[in-house]
mmCIF file of all heavy atoms in Angstrom:
data_model
loop_
_atom_site.group_PDB
_atom_site.id
_atom_site.type_symbol
_atom_site.label_atom_id
_atom_site.label_comp_id
_atom_site.label_asym_id
_atom_site.label_seq_id
_atom_site.Cartn_x
_atom_site.Cartn_y
_atom_site.Cartn_z
ATOM 1 N N ILE A 1 1.611 -3.586 12.736
ATOM 2 C CA ILE A 1 0.244 -3.196 13.466
ATOM 3 C C ILE A 1 -0.199 -4.481 14.136
ATOM 4 O O ILE A 1 -0.575 -5.513 13.620
ATOM 5 C CB ILE A 1 -0.865 -2.751 12.465
ATOM 6 C CG1 ILE A 1 -0.314 -1.508 11.700
ATOM 7 C CG2 ILE A 1 -2.122 -2.533 13.218
ATOM 8 C CD1 ILE A 1 -0.204 -0.260 12.569
ATOM 9 N N LYS A 2 -0.195 -4.440 15.506
ATOM 10 C CA LYS A 2 -0.664 -5.530 16.351
ATOM 11 C C LYS A 2 -2.074 -5.181 16.920
ATOM 12 O O LYS A 2 -2.577 -6.199 17.484
ATOM 13 C CB LYS A 2 0.345 -5.696 17.517
ATOM 14 C CG LYS A 2 1.781 -6.216 16.951
ATOM 15 C CD LYS A 2 2.765 -6.445 18.030
ATOM 16 C CE LYS A 2 3.948 -7.115 17.567
ATOM 17 N NZ LYS A 2 4.666 -6.311 16.568
ATOM 18 N N SER A 3 -2.584 -3.988 16.758
ATOM 19 C CA SER A 3 -3.820 -3.737 17.410
ATOM 20 C C SER A 3 -4.611 -3.030 16.339
ATOM 21 O O SER A 3 -4.300 -1.961 15.807
ATOM 22 C CB SER A 3 -3.621 -2.864 18.541
ATOM 23 O OG SER A 3 -4.805 -2.219 18.853
ATOM 24 N N ALA A 4 -5.890 -3.612 16.024
ATOM 25 C CA ALA A 4 -6.853 -2.975 15.031
ATOM 26 C C ALA A 4 -7.171 -1.505 15.573
ATOM 27 O O ALA A 4 -7.458 -0.699 14.749
ATOM 28 C CB ALA A 4 -8.023 -3.833 14.906
ATOM 29 N N GLN A 5 -7.324 -1.359 16.928
ATOM 30 C CA GLN A 5 -7.567 -0.064 17.333
ATOM 31 C C GLN A 5 -6.635 1.069 17.149
ATOM 32 O O GLN A 5 -7.042 2.122 16.965
ATOM 33 C CB GLN A 5 -7.837 -0.233 18.877
ATOM 34 C CG GLN A 5 -9.082 -1.013 19.405
ATOM 35 C CD GLN A 5 -8.839 -2.501 19.166
ATOM 36 O OE1 GLN A 5 -7.757 -3.029 19.280
ATOM 37 N NE2 GLN A 5 -9.964 -3.188 18.837
ATOM 38 N N LEU A 6 -5.452 0.607 16.870
ATOM 39 C CA LEU A 6 -4.315 1.713 16.600
ATOM 40 C C LEU A 6 -4.146 1.918 15.107
ATOM 41 O O LEU A 6 -3.551 2.952 14.721
ATOM 42 C CB LEU A 6 -3.081 1.108 17.239
ATOM 43 C CG LEU A 6 -2.855 1.327 18.770
ATOM 44 C CD1 LEU A 6 -1.447 0.764 19.051
ATOM 45 C CD2 LEU A 6 -2.928 2.749 19.095
ATOM 46 N N ALA A 7 -4.654 1.057 14.216
ATOM 47 C CA ALA A 7 -4.342 1.171 12.844
ATOM 48 C C ALA A 7 -4.557 2.423 12.211
ATOM 49 O O ALA A 7 -3.708 3.013 11.629
ATOM 50 C CB ALA A 7 -5.022 -0.022 12.115
ATOM 51 N N ASP A 8 -5.866 2.903 12.399
ATOM 52 C CA ASP A 8 -6.173 4.079 11.709
ATOM 53 C C ASP A 8 -5.338 5.306 12.270
ATOM 54 O O ASP A 8 -5.067 6.278 11.636
ATOM 55 C CB ASP A 8 -7.744 4.494 11.801
ATOM 56 C CG ASP A 8 -8.552 3.551 10.988
ATOM 57 O OD1 ASP A 8 -8.001 2.899 10.131
ATOM 58 O OD2 ASP A 8 -9.753 3.569 11.088
ATOM 59 N N ARG A 9 -5.183 5.359 13.649
ATOM 60 C CA ARG A 9 -4.486 6.417 14.277
ATOM 61 C C ARG A 9 -2.907 6.433 13.746
ATOM 62 O O ARG A 9 -2.472 7.466 13.501
ATOM 63 C CB ARG A 9 -4.442 6.210 15.737
ATOM 64 C CG ARG A 9 -5.849 6.508 16.320
ATOM 65 C CD ARG A 9 -6.009 6.175 17.802
ATOM 66 N NE ARG A 9 -4.938 6.893 18.542
ATOM 67 C CZ ARG A 9 -4.627 6.575 19.874
ATOM 68 N NH1 ARG A 9 -5.271 5.645 20.475
ATOM 69 N NH2 ARG A 9 -3.738 7.303 20.379
ATOM 70 N N VAL A 10 -2.341 5.294 13.631
ATOM 71 C CA VAL A 10 -1.005 5.198 13.114
ATOM 72 C C VAL A 10 -1.016 5.694 11.615
ATOM 73 O O VAL A 10 -0.212 6.512 11.218
ATOM 74 C CB VAL A 10 -0.516 3.754 13.178
ATOM 75 C CG1 VAL A 10 0.829 3.699 12.462
ATOM 76 C CG2 VAL A 10 -0.273 3.316 14.608
ATOM 77 N N ALA A 11 -1.921 5.289 10.788
ATOM 78 C CA ALA A 11 -2.065 5.746 9.401
ATOM 79 C C ALA A 11 -2.251 7.269 9.363
ATOM 80 O O ALA A 11 -1.469 7.944 8.556
ATOM 81 C CB ALA A 11 -3.200 5.097 8.690
ATOM 82 N N LEU A 12 -3.092 7.773 10.129
ATOM 83 C CA LEU A 12 -3.214 9.239 10.153
ATOM 84 C C LEU A 12 -1.890 9.988 10.554
ATOM 85 O O LEU A 12 -1.621 11.020 9.951
ATOM 86 C CB LEU A 12 -4.344 9.648 11.168
ATOM 87 C CG LEU A 12 -4.592 11.145 11.332
ATOM 88 C CD1 LEU A 12 -5.022 11.828 10.000
ATOM 89 C CD2 LEU A 12 -5.743 11.396 12.307
ATOM 90 N N ALA A 13 -1.253 9.439 11.619
ATOM 91 C CA ALA A 13 0.031 10.091 11.979
ATOM 92 C C ALA A 13 1.013 10.150 10.790
ATOM 93 O O ALA A 13 1.774 11.053 10.653
ATOM 94 C CB ALA A 13 0.631 9.321 13.235
ATOM 95 N N ILE A 14 1.124 8.952 10.078
ATOM 96 C CA ILE A 14 2.089 8.948 8.999
ATOM 97 C C ILE A 14 1.716 9.925 7.887
ATOM 98 O O ILE A 14 2.540 10.641 7.464
ATOM 99 C CB ILE A 14 2.005 7.477 8.467
ATOM 100 C CG1 ILE A 14 2.588 6.476 9.367
ATOM 101 C CG2 ILE A 14 2.667 7.391 7.015
ATOM 102 C CD1 ILE A 14 2.182 5.042 9.069
ATOM 103 N N ILE A 15 0.374 10.037 7.591
ATOM 104 C CA ILE A 15 -0.047 10.901 6.511
ATOM 105 C C ILE A 15 0.149 12.423 7.057
ATOM 106 O O ILE A 15 0.719 13.266 6.242
ATOM 107 C CB ILE A 15 -1.547 10.662 6.190
ATOM 108 C CG1 ILE A 15 -1.585 9.327 5.470
ATOM 109 C CG2 ILE A 15 -2.082 11.819 5.272
ATOM 110 C CD1 ILE A 15 -3.077 8.811 5.412
ATOM 111 N N THR A 16 -0.109 12.657 8.242
ATOM 112 C CA THR A 16 0.060 14.143 8.868
ATOM 113 C C THR A 16 1.504 14.456 8.880
ATOM 114 O O THR A 16 1.954 15.622 8.481
ATOM 115 C CB THR A 16 -0.428 14.086 10.249
ATOM 116 O OG1 THR A 16 -1.790 13.743 10.240
ATOM 117 C CG2 THR A 16 -0.350 15.509 10.866
ATOM 118 N N ALA A 17 2.411 13.486 8.987
ATOM 119 C CA ALA A 17 3.897 13.672 8.947
ATOM 120 C C ALA A 17 4.389 13.849 7.552
ATOM 121 O O ALA A 17 5.565 14.136 7.359
ATOM 122 C CB ALA A 17 4.603 12.636 9.715
ATOM 123 N N GLY A 18 3.628 13.569 6.469
ATOM 124 C CA GLY A 18 3.947 13.668 5.192
ATOM 125 C C GLY A 18 4.879 12.558 4.805
ATOM 126 O O GLY A 18 5.716 12.658 3.959
ATOM 127 N N MET A 19 4.778 11.330 5.519
ATOM 128 C CA MET A 19 5.573 10.206 5.209
ATOM 129 C C MET A 19 4.909 9.048 4.524
ATOM 130 O O MET A 19 5.413 7.890 4.699
ATOM 131 C CB MET A 19 6.113 9.690 6.582
ATOM 132 C CG MET A 19 7.109 10.806 7.264
ATOM 133 S SD MET A 19 8.708 10.671 6.532
ATOM 134 C CE MET A 19 9.371 9.226 7.356
ATOM 135 N N ALA A 20 3.684 9.265 4.002
ATOM 136 C CA ALA A 20 3.029 8.163 3.360
ATOM 137 C C ALA A 20 3.760 7.450 2.108
ATOM 138 O O ALA A 20 3.471 6.391 1.781
ATOM 139 C CB ALA A 20 1.629 8.654 2.901
ATOM 140 N N ASP A 21 4.709 8.227 1.638
ATOM 141 C CA ASP A 21 5.512 7.653 0.563
ATOM 142 C C ASP A 21 6.812 6.931 0.997
ATOM 143 O O ASP A 21 7.653 6.515 0.233
ATOM 144 C CB ASP A 21 5.858 8.674 -0.476
ATOM 145 C CG ASP A 21 6.727 9.813 0.177
ATOM 146 O OD1 ASP A 21 6.873 9.894 1.306
ATOM 147 O OD2 ASP A 21 7.274 10.652 -0.663
ATOM 148 N N GLN A 22 7.000 6.849 2.434
ATOM 149 C CA GLN A 22 8.287 6.284 2.896
ATOM 150 C C GLN A 22 8.029 5.297 4.016
ATOM 151 O O GLN A 22 8.949 4.807 4.592
ATOM 152 C CB GLN A 22 9.088 7.461 3.477
ATOM 153 C CG GLN A 22 10.526 6.990 3.489
ATOM 154 C CD GLN A 22 11.482 8.121 4.052
ATOM 155 O OE1 GLN A 22 11.193 9.303 3.923
ATOM 156 N NE2 GLN A 22 12.394 7.790 4.964
ATOM 157 N N VAL A 23 6.735 4.961 4.297
ATOM 158 C CA VAL A 23 6.307 4.017 5.283
ATOM 159 C C VAL A 23 5.436 2.939 4.752
ATOM 160 O O VAL A 23 4.546 3.322 3.941
ATOM 161 C CB VAL A 23 5.611 4.760 6.511
ATOM 162 C CG1 VAL A 23 5.254 3.800 7.614
ATOM 163 C CG2 VAL A 23 6.588 5.921 6.996
ATOM 164 N N PHE A 24 5.561 1.765 5.200
ATOM 165 C CA PHE A 24 4.410 0.760 4.922
ATOM 166 C C PHE A 24 4.040 0.094 6.218
ATOM 167 O O PHE A 24 4.823 -0.092 7.137
ATOM 168 C CB PHE A 24 4.805 -0.210 3.828
ATOM 169 C CG PHE A 24 5.846 -1.169 4.099
ATOM 170 C CD1 PHE A 24 5.555 -2.435 4.730
ATOM 171 C CD2 PHE A 24 7.222 -0.890 3.976
ATOM 172 C CE1 PHE A 24 6.647 -3.351 5.003
ATOM 173 C CE2 PHE A 24 8.220 -1.717 4.379
ATOM 174 C CZ PHE A 24 7.903 -2.982 4.781
ATOM 175 N N LEU A 25 2.753 -0.320 6.319
ATOM 176 C CA LEU A 25 2.234 -1.012 7.399
ATOM 177 C C LEU A 25 2.068 -2.552 7.070
ATOM 178 O O LEU A 25 1.938 -2.804 5.897
ATOM 179 C CB LEU A 25 0.844 -0.435 7.784
ATOM 180 C CG LEU A 25 0.732 1.091 7.951
ATOM 181 C CD1 LEU A 25 -0.668 1.479 8.367
ATOM 182 C CD2 LEU A 25 1.681 1.496 9.049
ATOM 183 N N LYS A 26 2.042 -3.208 8.106
ATOM 184 C CA LYS A 26 1.856 -4.663 7.865
ATOM 185 C C LYS A 26 1.022 -5.233 9.047
ATOM 186 O O LYS A 26 1.116 -4.792 10.231
ATOM 187 C CB LYS A 26 3.120 -5.476 7.609
ATOM 188 C CG LYS A 26 4.007 -5.666 8.808
ATOM 189 C CD LYS A 26 5.260 -6.429 8.461
ATOM 190 C CE LYS A 26 6.086 -6.552 9.775
ATOM 191 N NZ LYS A 26 7.404 -7.164 9.436
ATOM 192 N N ALA A 27 0.288 -6.288 8.734
ATOM 193 C CA ALA A 27 -0.501 -6.988 9.788
ATOM 194 C C ALA A 27 -0.983 -8.290 9.187
ATOM 195 O O ALA A 27 -0.943 -8.471 8.038
ATOM 196 C CB ALA A 27 -1.710 -6.184 10.252
ATOM 197 N N PHE A 28 -1.215 -9.253 10.087
ATOM 198 C CA PHE A 28 -1.803 -10.584 9.705
ATOM 199 C C PHE A 28 -3.036 -10.495 8.953
ATOM 200 O O PHE A 28 -3.925 -9.775 9.446
ATOM 201 C CB PHE A 28 -1.806 -11.545 10.892
ATOM 202 C CG PHE A 28 -0.565 -12.202 11.117
ATOM 203 C CD1 PHE A 28 0.220 -11.823 12.292
ATOM 204 C CD2 PHE A 28 -0.040 -13.258 10.386
ATOM 205 C CE1 PHE A 28 1.367 -12.426 12.620
ATOM 206 C CE2 PHE A 28 1.141 -13.845 10.635
ATOM 207 C CZ PHE A 28 1.864 -13.500 11.730
ATOM 208 N N VAL A 29 -3.140 -11.143 7.902
ATOM 209 C CA VAL A 29 -4.429 -11.356 7.105
ATOM 210 C C VAL A 29 -4.750 -12.890 7.197
ATOM 211 O O VAL A 29 -3.966 -13.681 6.577
ATOM 212 C CB VAL A 29 -4.208 -10.843 5.652
ATOM 213 C CG1 VAL A 29 -5.448 -11.287 4.838
ATOM 214 C CG2 VAL A 29 -4.063 -9.414 5.592
ATOM 215 N N ASN A 30 -5.825 -13.213 7.873
ATOM 216 C CA ASN A 30 -6.131 -14.598 8.118
ATOM 217 C C ASN A 30 -7.374 -14.993 7.266
ATOM 218 O O ASN A 30 -7.683 -16.289 7.329
ATOM 219 C CB ASN A 30 -6.406 -14.797 9.510
ATOM 220 C CG ASN A 30 -5.232 -14.517 10.456
ATOM 221 O OD1 ASN A 30 -4.127 -15.118 10.107
ATOM 222 N ND2 ASN A 30 -5.332 -13.741 11.387
ATOM 223 N N GLY A 31 -7.945 -14.181 6.423
ATOM 224 C CA GLY A 31 -9.137 -14.653 5.630
ATOM 225 C C GLY A 31 -9.893 -13.448 5.071
ATOM 226 O O GLY A 31 -9.532 -12.319 5.381
ATOM 227 N N PRO A 32 -10.942 -13.797 4.445
ATOM 228 C CA PRO A 32 -11.843 -12.717 3.878
ATOM 229 C C PRO A 32 -12.258 -11.639 4.840
ATOM 230 O O PRO A 32 -12.457 -10.463 4.419
ATOM 231 C CB PRO A 32 -12.998 -13.501 3.299
ATOM 232 C CG PRO A 32 -12.364 -14.873 2.999
ATOM 233 C CD PRO A 32 -11.503 -15.128 4.112
ATOM 234 N N ALA A 33 -12.553 -12.028 6.106
ATOM 235 C CA ALA A 33 -13.091 -11.015 7.027
ATOM 236 C C ALA A 33 -12.086 -9.974 7.315
ATOM 237 O O ALA A 33 -12.422 -8.876 7.377
ATOM 238 C CB ALA A 33 -13.424 -11.747 8.300
ATOM 239 N N ASP A 34 -10.881 -10.333 7.273
ATOM 240 C CA ASP A 34 -9.788 -9.339 7.542
ATOM 241 C C ASP A 34 -9.676 -8.491 6.406
ATOM 242 O O ASP A 34 -9.533 -7.226 6.516
ATOM 243 C CB ASP A 34 -8.346 -10.098 7.786
ATOM 244 C CG ASP A 34 -8.340 -10.770 9.151
ATOM 245 O OD1 ASP A 34 -9.119 -10.409 10.028
ATOM 246 O OD2 ASP A 34 -7.440 -11.606 9.305
ATOM 247 N N LEU A 35 -9.785 -8.934 5.184
ATOM 248 C CA LEU A 35 -9.765 -8.074 4.000
ATOM 249 C C LEU A 35 -10.965 -7.131 3.984
ATOM 250 O O LEU A 35 -10.857 -6.006 3.600
ATOM 251 C CB LEU A 35 -9.721 -8.934 2.739
ATOM 252 C CG LEU A 35 -8.545 -9.820 2.552
ATOM 253 C CD1 LEU A 35 -8.716 -10.756 1.362
ATOM 254 C CD2 LEU A 35 -7.339 -8.982 2.316
ATOM 255 N N LYS A 36 -12.100 -7.566 4.447
ATOM 256 C CA LYS A 36 -13.377 -6.687 4.469
ATOM 257 C C LYS A 36 -12.985 -5.576 5.418
ATOM 258 O O LYS A 36 -13.419 -4.471 5.126
ATOM 259 C CB LYS A 36 -14.490 -7.533 4.935
ATOM 260 C CG LYS A 36 -15.079 -8.346 3.759
ATOM 261 C CD LYS A 36 -16.313 -9.122 4.185
ATOM 262 C CE LYS A 36 -16.805 -10.098 3.137
ATOM 263 N NZ LYS A 36 -17.899 -10.894 3.594
ATOM 264 N N ARG A 37 -12.355 -5.809 6.501
ATOM 265 C CA ARG A 37 -12.048 -4.856 7.505
ATOM 266 C C ARG A 37 -11.097 -3.730 6.930
ATOM 267 O O ARG A 37 -11.182 -2.555 7.267
ATOM 268 C CB ARG A 37 -11.500 -5.346 8.814
ATOM 269 C CG ARG A 37 -12.637 -5.921 9.638
ATOM 270 C CD ARG A 37 -12.100 -6.263 11.073
ATOM 271 N NE ARG A 37 -11.108 -7.405 11.087
ATOM 272 C CZ ARG A 37 -11.547 -8.628 11.240
ATOM 273 N NH1 ARG A 37 -12.786 -8.914 11.471
ATOM 274 N NH2 ARG A 37 -10.679 -9.610 11.358
ATOM 275 N N LEU A 38 -10.157 -4.266 6.120
ATOM 276 C CA LEU A 38 -9.223 -3.345 5.364
ATOM 277 C C LEU A 38 -10.028 -2.304 4.504
ATOM 278 O O LEU A 38 -9.582 -1.074 4.663
ATOM 279 C CB LEU A 38 -8.292 -4.122 4.437
ATOM 280 C CG LEU A 38 -7.110 -4.901 5.138
ATOM 281 C CD1 LEU A 38 -6.411 -5.720 3.947
ATOM 282 C CD2 LEU A 38 -6.203 -4.020 5.707
ATOM 283 N N ARG A 39 -10.988 -2.713 3.887
ATOM 284 C CA ARG A 39 -11.705 -1.800 2.927
ATOM 285 C C ARG A 39 -12.531 -0.736 3.665
ATOM 286 O O ARG A 39 -12.806 0.235 3.115
ATOM 287 C CB ARG A 39 -12.697 -2.638 2.136
ATOM 288 C CG ARG A 39 -11.941 -3.650 1.101
ATOM 289 C CD ARG A 39 -13.097 -4.076 0.216
ATOM 290 N NE ARG A 39 -12.567 -5.072 -0.624
ATOM 291 C CZ ARG A 39 -11.942 -4.788 -1.818
ATOM 292 N NH1 ARG A 39 -11.744 -3.561 -2.215
ATOM 293 N NH2 ARG A 39 -11.449 -5.751 -2.628
ATOM 294 N N ARG A 40 -12.794 -1.011 5.012
ATOM 295 C CA ARG A 40 -13.644 -0.034 5.630
ATOM 296 C C ARG A 40 -12.926 1.109 6.230
ATOM 297 O O ARG A 40 -13.554 2.054 6.790
ATOM 298 C CB ARG A 40 -14.481 -0.630 6.828
ATOM 299 C CG ARG A 40 -15.484 -1.708 6.220
ATOM 300 C CD ARG A 40 -16.522 -2.063 7.256
ATOM 301 N NE ARG A 40 -15.990 -2.853 8.363
ATOM 302 C CZ ARG A 40 -16.042 -4.107 8.497
ATOM 303 N NH1 ARG A 40 -16.573 -4.780 7.539
ATOM 304 N NH2 ARG A 40 -15.512 -4.731 9.541
ATOM 305 N N SER A 41 -11.536 1.115 6.189
ATOM 306 C CA SER A 41 -10.806 2.209 6.849
ATOM 307 C C SER A 41 -10.889 3.531 5.981
ATOM 308 O O SER A 41 -10.782 3.530 4.789
ATOM 309 C CB SER A 41 -9.359 1.748 6.999
ATOM 310 O OG SER A 41 -8.559 2.956 7.312
ATOM 311 N N PRO A 42 -10.948 4.678 6.672
ATOM 312 C CA PRO A 42 -10.888 5.953 5.882
ATOM 313 C C PRO A 42 -9.594 6.178 5.305
ATOM 314 O O PRO A 42 -9.466 7.109 4.434
ATOM 315 C CB PRO A 42 -11.219 6.927 6.912
ATOM 316 C CG PRO A 42 -10.925 6.326 8.358
ATOM 317 C CD PRO A 42 -11.276 4.864 8.121
ATOM 318 N N PHE A 43 -8.555 5.385 5.721
ATOM 319 C CA PHE A 43 -7.146 5.628 5.123
ATOM 320 C C PHE A 43 -6.863 4.560 4.149
ATOM 321 O O PHE A 43 -5.671 4.391 3.807
ATOM 322 C CB PHE A 43 -6.212 5.758 6.271
ATOM 323 C CG PHE A 43 -6.527 6.790 7.365
ATOM 324 C CD1 PHE A 43 -6.994 6.592 8.478
ATOM 325 C CD2 PHE A 43 -6.366 8.182 6.904
ATOM 326 C CE1 PHE A 43 -7.345 7.588 9.419
ATOM 327 C CE2 PHE A 43 -6.729 9.194 7.811
ATOM 328 C CZ PHE A 43 -7.206 8.874 9.057
ATOM 329 N N PHE A 44 -7.832 3.755 3.889
ATOM 330 C CA PHE A 44 -7.642 2.608 2.937
ATOM 331 C C PHE A 44 -7.009 3.099 1.573
ATOM 332 O O PHE A 44 -7.613 3.951 0.952
ATOM 333 C CB PHE A 44 -9.010 1.991 2.675
ATOM 334 C CG PHE A 44 -9.148 0.812 1.791
ATOM 335 C CD1 PHE A 44 -8.637 -0.392 2.360
ATOM 336 C CD2 PHE A 44 -9.592 0.850 0.549
ATOM 337 C CE1 PHE A 44 -8.680 -1.526 1.650
ATOM 338 C CE2 PHE A 44 -9.722 -0.368 -0.149
ATOM 339 C CZ PHE A 44 -9.223 -1.496 0.345
ATOM 340 N N GLY A 45 -5.761 2.687 1.389
ATOM 341 C CA GLY A 45 -5.128 2.965 0.082
ATOM 342 C C GLY A 45 -4.136 4.151 0.131
ATOM 343 O O GLY A 45 -3.483 4.487 -0.903
#
């Protein structure tokens, strides 16, 4: 994931395809602020 704007849309596409058990996402985590943003996603977890 190179764009925060795409992250939720990509996650939704994965879940809609029934592939949440066969895909993982990755992105740079540079500190606490990035982790806080992770928690705010509706697809968190």
Side-chain angles (χ1 to χ4, degrees):
I1 299 294
K2 294 179 171 61
S3 165
Q5 290 72 31
L6 282 180
D8 286 352
R9 290 172 57 191
V10 170
L12 177 59
I14 292 165
I15 294 166
T16 301
M19 292 280 283
D21 64 348
Q22 202 184 321
V23 181
F24 67 93
L25 306 180
K26 69 180 181 186
F28 273 104
V29 169
N30 297 307
D34 289 341
L35 294 172
K36 289 179 181 178
R37 283 194 288 271
L38 283 175
R39 291 188 186 277
R40 291 199 293 265
S41 169
F43 304 106
F44 186 73

